[in-house]
């Protein structure tokens, strides 16, 4: 639900009041109320069958492990996506002179939008390498502040950390 669509939000809240509650509804309502962080991921696990007992079936135990792996992956990515969210507004306007490094950092951020949306890295690491090479060659243009430099290097180091983790 788009938070800008009050009738859809109202319908979601009405559905919740009638007892229909699912993860999609919870996300719709909390997003509409502005209580979700910008990057939110839901990991759902549904049992294949429900029966008596307090032990997980082998299939449920495997699914739980898969869900925990998915959660750990998202938690590991959270600092990178938060950093990207902080960096993006700093690249707007014409404060920073056009340069190969600026093009590369913008390309990295565009790829990270894809990572946030569908979990795919795309060309992120290639653009990270392009950014590193442009910085090393001095192709950064004028206008970078100390904060910009810090954020760019933090972005590179976070991507290095996550690439190593993904390789495992």
């Amino acid at each position: 639900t788009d938070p800008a669509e009050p009738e859809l939000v109202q319908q979601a809240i009405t559905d919740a009041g009638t007892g229909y509650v699912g993860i999609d509804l919870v996300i719709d309502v909390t997003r509409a109320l502005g209580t979700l962080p910008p990057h939110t991921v839901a990991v759902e696990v549904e049992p294949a069958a429900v029966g008596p007992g307090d032990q997980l079936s082998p299939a449920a135990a495997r699914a739980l492990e898969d869900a925990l792996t998915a959660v750990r992956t998202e938690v590991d990515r959270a600092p990178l996506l938060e950093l990207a969210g902080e960096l993006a507004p700093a690249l707007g306007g014409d404060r920073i002179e056009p340069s190969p490094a600026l093009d590369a950092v913008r390309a990295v951020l565009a790829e990270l939008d894809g990572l946030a949306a569908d979990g795919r890295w795309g060309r992120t690491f290639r653009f990270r390498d392009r950014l590193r090479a442009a910085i090393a060659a001095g192709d950064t243009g004028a206008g970078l502040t100390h904060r910009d430099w810090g954020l760019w290097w933090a972005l590179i180091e976070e991507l290095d950390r996550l690439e190593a983790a993904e390789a495992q």
Side-chain angles (χ1 to χ4, degrees):
T1 303
D2 181 351
E5 301 177 44
E7 63 279 354
L8 294 177
V9 174
Q10 184 60 46
Q11 183 59 50
I13 292 171
T14 300
D15 289 347
T18 64
Y20 167 77
V21 178
I23 190 69
D24 293 336
L25 178 71
V26 171
I27 290 172
D28 287 346
V29 171
T30 54
R31 179 178 293 132
L33 295 174
T35 58
L36 287 178
H39 177 70
T40 301
V41 176
V43 176
E44 296 180 75
V45 178
E46 292 186 29
V50 178
D54 58 357
Q55 298 296 315
L56 292 175
S57 68
R62 284 189 304 277
L64 179 59
E65 269 311 307
D66 291 345
L68 289 172
T69 297
V71 168
R72 287 182 190 109
T73 297
E74 290 302 324
V75 168
D76 281 349
R77 291 176 179 170
L80 174 66
L81 296 175
E82 186 176 313
L83 177 61
E86 191 173 335
L87 236 172
L91 299 178
D94 59 359
R95 179 179 59 82
I96 302 173
E97 183 179 289
S99 68
L102 183 60
D103 292 343
V105 79
R106 284 183 173 146
V108 168
L109 294 181
E111 289 296 313
L112 290 179
D113 285 343
L115 175 66
D118 62 19
R120 295 190 185 142
W121 286 102
R123 299 171 293 177
T124 304
F125 298 120
R126 186 172 71 186
F127 289 136
R128 182 248 358 243
D129 294 342
R130 198 177 288 173
L131 172 60
R132 184 181 277 129
I135 291 171
D139 292 333
T140 58
L144 289 167
T145 66
H146 294 294
R147 183 174 186 276
D148 295 328
W149 280 111
L151 290 173
W152 288 24
W153 278 113
L155 179 68
I156 290 169
E157 289 185 6
E158 246 332 92
L159 287 168
D160 289 347
R161 179 185 71 81
L162 289 168
E163 183 180 35
E166 290 285 322
Q168 295 175 352

